[in-house]
């Protein structure tokens, strides 16, 4: 008789595992110091901290854009430097950094090809995302011809072209209007509900509290607190995440 093997939750690798991450830049500046962080599959996780806290370095390290000085990073069990890991990650960067010479449809098709998606499938996926982000009427336009809000949609569409299992949203609603912010929130919730693990950085703390089920606060390149919204509010006797953030960052700054 054949017996099927059931995989226990304990044997499922974390969506993201960071152990002992350090990054010392040329000149001696330490951006991240011996940082540990783990995200479970399906989490909607908020990484909060002031400018210069190490968020960009952490994200760059995960995406193999920054070379860590030390540390082990895995994405669903794959070393972050491998092709397998890169295919599992979608990054919507804060900075609008897209090719100026391709149309936005061509840009999406090209990015899909980078991830090994065949041209026929890439075209279908690009058209699907152009429609999802209400950009189909701009398919032949160049990115620099789009409004700021449309460029933000394009960056999100590019991050999703290969259906990543870990989506990193770096300040996804910076500089957008209320309508687009609401649209991005809705889409992010739907993606997470469908199983996509999301790592969000934002300075808009109401956004973090609306979307995330867990948070880590990073100050001076170190994780200084972590937990659910409820546990953090209770621990710091705060009314909301904004008050938690203010108290933690102020306390760390006084050290």
């Amino acid at each position: 008789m054949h017996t099927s093997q059931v995989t226990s939750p304990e044997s499922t690798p974390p969506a993201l595992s960071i152990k002992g991450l350090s990054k010392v830049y040329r000149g001696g500046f330490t951006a991240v110091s011996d940082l540990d962080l783990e995200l479970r599959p399906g989490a909607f996780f908020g990484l909060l901290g002031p400018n210069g806290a190490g968020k960009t370095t952490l994200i760059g390290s995960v995406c193999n854009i920054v070379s860590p000085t030390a540390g082990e990073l895995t994405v669903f069990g794959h070393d972050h430097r491998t092709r397998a890991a890169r295919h599992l990650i979608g990054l919507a960067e804060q900075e609008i950094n897209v090719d100026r010479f391709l149309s936005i449809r061509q840009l999406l098709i090209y990015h899909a090809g980078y991830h090994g998606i065949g041209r026929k499938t890439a075209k279908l996926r690009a058209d699907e995302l152009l429609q999802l982000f209400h950009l189909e009427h701009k398919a032949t336009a160049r990115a620099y011809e789009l409004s700021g809000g449309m460029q933000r949609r394009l960056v999100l569409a590019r991050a999703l072209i290969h259906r990543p299992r870990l989506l990193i949203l770096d300040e996804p609603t910076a500089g957008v209007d209320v309508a687009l912010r609401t649209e991005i929130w809705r889409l992010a919730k739907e993606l997470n509900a469908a199983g996509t693990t999301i790592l969000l950085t934002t300075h808009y703390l109401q956004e973090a509290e609306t979307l995330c089920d867990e948070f880590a606060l990073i100050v001076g390149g170190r994780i200084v607190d972590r937990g659910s919204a409820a546990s953090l509010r209770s621990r710091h006797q705060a009314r909301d995440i904004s008050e938690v953030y203010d108290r933690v960052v102020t306390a760390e700054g006084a050290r």
Side-chain angles (χ1 to χ4, degrees), residues 94-237:
Q94 180 180 356
E95 299 297 325
I96 306 295
N97 181 20
V98 294
D99 193 300
R100 290 180 55 85
F101 301 103
L102 298 177
S103 72
I104 64 172
R105 185 172 185 267
Q106 289 171 333
L107 190 150
L108 293 175
I109 293 169
Y110 175 83
H111 199 70
Y114 170 78
H115 287 284
I117 299 173
R119 191 162 182 81
K120 182 178 180 181
T121 302
K123 288 179 178 179
L124 292 172
R125 180 66 175 152
D127 290 338
E128 176 186 324
L129 287 167
L130 288 172
Q131 185 172 7
L132 176 65
F133 285 98
H134 309 296
L135 290 170
E136 63 271 30
H137 63 298
K138 295 287 188 179
T140 60
R142 303 297 190 266
Y144 65 84
E145 299 174 318
L146 304 180
S147 67
M150 287 182 178
Q151 289 182 8
R152 182 65 58 191
R153 290 178 189 159
L154 174 59
V155 168
L156 284 166
R158 183 179 62 179
L160 294 171
I161 191 73
H162 58 296
R163 303 184 192 276
R165 292 176 64 192
L166 171 62
L167 176 62
I168 300 175
L169 300 176
D170 188 10
E171 299 284 347
T173 62
V176 307
D177 59 29
V178 174
L180 181 54
R181 176 180 291 132
T182 302
E183 184 181 332
I184 291 171
W185 286 8
R186 177 189 58 77
L187 177 64
K189 287 178 179 178
E190 289 176 357
L191 288 167
N192 182 243
T196 303
T197 305
I198 298 179
L199 174 61
L200 169 74
T201 75
T202 181
H203 288 292
Y204 185 27
L205 299 179
Q206 182 187 349
E207 175 170 87
E209 190 151 22
T210 298
L211 296 174
C212 301
D213 49 43
E214 193 173 1
F215 306 86
L217 287 94
I218 181 171
V219 180
R222 299 178 299 109
I223 300 293
V224 295
D225 210 342
R226 175 179 176 166
S228 66
S231 67
L232 288 170
R233 287 195 304 265
S234 175
R235 185 151 62 244
H236 295 279
Q237 299 182 330

Side-chain angles (χ1 to χ4, degrees), residues 57-106:
T57 297
L58 186 154
I59 289 171
S61 298
V62 172
C63 297
N64 205 33
I65 298 168
V66 172
S67 297
T69 305
E72 297 180 5
L73 297 85
T74 61
V75 180
F76 291 98
H78 300 278
D79 186 289
H80 74 292
R81 295 165 292 189
T82 63
R83 183 181 294 272
R86 290 199 296 272
H87 290 340
L88 291 168
I89 300 171
L91 171 62
E93 299 164 289
Q94 180 180 356
E95 299 297 325
I96 306 295
N97 181 20
V98 294
D99 193 300
R100 290 180 55 85
F101 301 103
L102 298 177
S103 72
I104 64 172
R105 185 172 185 267
Q106 289 171 333

